Amino acid sequence: MKTLIHGLLFEEIVAAVQELGAPAFRGKQLWQWLYGQRVNAWAAMKNLPADLRLKLEENFELAAVKQLEITGEEGETRKLLAGLGDGECIEEVLLASGERRTLCLSSQVGCKFACAFCASGQAGFRRNLAAGEIVGEVLLAAAIWGDRPGNVVFMGVGEPFDNYDEVLRAIHILNHGEGLAIGARRITISTCGVIPGIQRLAGEGLQIELSVSLHAPDDATRSRLMPVNHRYPLAEVLAACKVYAEQTKRLITFEYTLVRGLNDSAAQAEQLARLLAPLPARVNLIPLSPVEGFAGETSAPDVSRQFIRVLERAGLNATLRDSQGSRIKAACGQLRIRRLNA
Ligand code: SAH
C-alpha cells in the first residue's frame, strides 16, 4: 500500500519532495495544495512540475477516506459514513449551527473498551486509524462544508488514547499554521479515562481540550457502566486530570450520560459535585441515546433538571447537551453498527 500523503507532517512533506529530487519549496507548495486549496487530485496541483506530480502519485495515496453515505441537509446535523482503503468503514458527524461548524471524528475502527451503553464497543475492535485517515476525515467534511471545521472533537468511534501516536500526529497536521490551522484549543480529545494518555498529553505543551467520560460518581457504579474503571479507577483518573489542568491551564470537561435510576439521583449529583470540587471542571450532561443491547433508559427531563440544579448550587458549571445526533441515529456509534447489522 502507498504511504498516505495526509499522514505526513510539514517537515516530512518537504523531505519527501526532496527525496524525489525536487527543491524544498515544492514541499511548501504541495502543503498548500493539500491544506490551503484542499484539492483531491494530483493533476490539480498546477504549479508543481508534471514529473514531480507523477512521482508523487506513484509513491503516495491522496484519497485515503472516501464518502459512502451522507444524510441530512446543509445547515443541520449530518452523519457521514466513510470507507477506508482496506474496506473498513468509519463514521463522522458534522454539526452545524449558524456559522459554527464542529466535526466529530473517529479515532479507531471499533473500540476495545466496551462501555455498557455505547454501540461502538458492542461492535468490537477492528483496528487503529492512521493519522492520514484521521486527517482525511477532516478533509472530507471540509469538502462537504466548503470550508474547514472551526472545532474538532474526538467523540466518534474509538478511544483516542488507545491510538495516541496517530491521533497526536493528526493533531499536529491539523494544527499547522500554514495548513488547516485548527488551533489546539479548538480540538477536544474525549477519553474514557485512559490515564497514561492523559499524562502524556499533559506533557506535550499543547492546550488541547480534555474531556473525560465519567458517567458515575463512585467506583462501583462506574465499573458497571465502564469496565475500564477496574484498570483506571476514579480517584486515579481525577488525580491525572488535576495534573493536566495545572500543566495546561485548561478547564476539564466531564461527560456524564444520565441513565434512569442508575446514576441520576440528587444524592449522586451531590457526590459528583464533591468529587469534582478540587478541579477546574465543567460538566456536560448527555441524555442517554437508547442503544440495542443496553437495557438502561433515558432519564426523565425533570430528573435531569434536578441533577443539573444540584451541580449548579454546588458552584459547578454544568450544561445539558441535547443529543443532536440521536434523531438521525448518528449518536455515539450508531451509524457504523447499523451498517454492520445491514
Ligand atoms: N472513547 C471516548 C470517545 C468516544 S465516546 C470516550 O469514552 O470519551 C464519546 C462520548 O459519547 C462519551 O462520553 C461516551 O460515553 C458517550 N456515549 C456513548 N454512547 C452513548 C449513548 N448511547 N448515549 C449517550 N452517550 C453515549
Side-chain angles (χ1 to χ4, degrees), residues 111 115 117-119 154-160 190-192 211-213 215 226 255 257 286-291 321 332 334:
C111 186
C115 298
F117 47 75
C118 181
F154 283 91
M155 290 187 185
V157 177
E159 167 51 46
S190 181
T191 180
C192 61
S211 188
V212 177
S213 300
H215 305 317
M226 307 175 74
E255 308 281 326
T257 297
I286 315 172
L288 175 75
S289 42
V291 283
R321 194 207 288 171
C332 313
Q334 291 176 356

Side-chain angles (χ1 to χ4, degrees), residues 90-103:
I90 49 170
E91 64 183 11
E92 9 181 341
V93 182
L94 287 67
L95 301 130
S97 114
E99 285 297 290
R100 223 177 125 86
R101 288 179 303 277
T102 300
L103 179 62

Side-chain angles (χ1 to χ4, degrees), residues 247-319:
Q247 296 207 358
T248 60
K249 311 273 180 280
R250 307 301 292 157
L251 220 82
I252 295 175
T253 303
F254 291 92
E255 308 281 326
Y256 196 104
T257 297
L258 291 165
V259 187
R260 180 181 299 205
L262 204 127
N263 64 359
D264 64 352
S265 73
Q268 284 165 315
E270 273 161 30
Q271 201 178 350
L272 179 64
R274 276 197 301 278
L275 198 67
L276 298 181
L279 286 158
R282 81 166 82 82
V283 177
N284 199 353
L285 296 167
I286 315 172
L288 175 75
S289 42
V291 283
E292 267 175 57
F294 178 63
E297 290 168 42
T298 313
S299 297
D302 58 321
V303 172
S304 306
R305 278 196 296 275
Q306 182 196 37
F307 198 93
I308 229 176
R309 265 201 308 278
V310 172
L311 296 181
E312 282 171 344
R313 236 184 285 131
L316 265 172
N317 179 341
T319 47

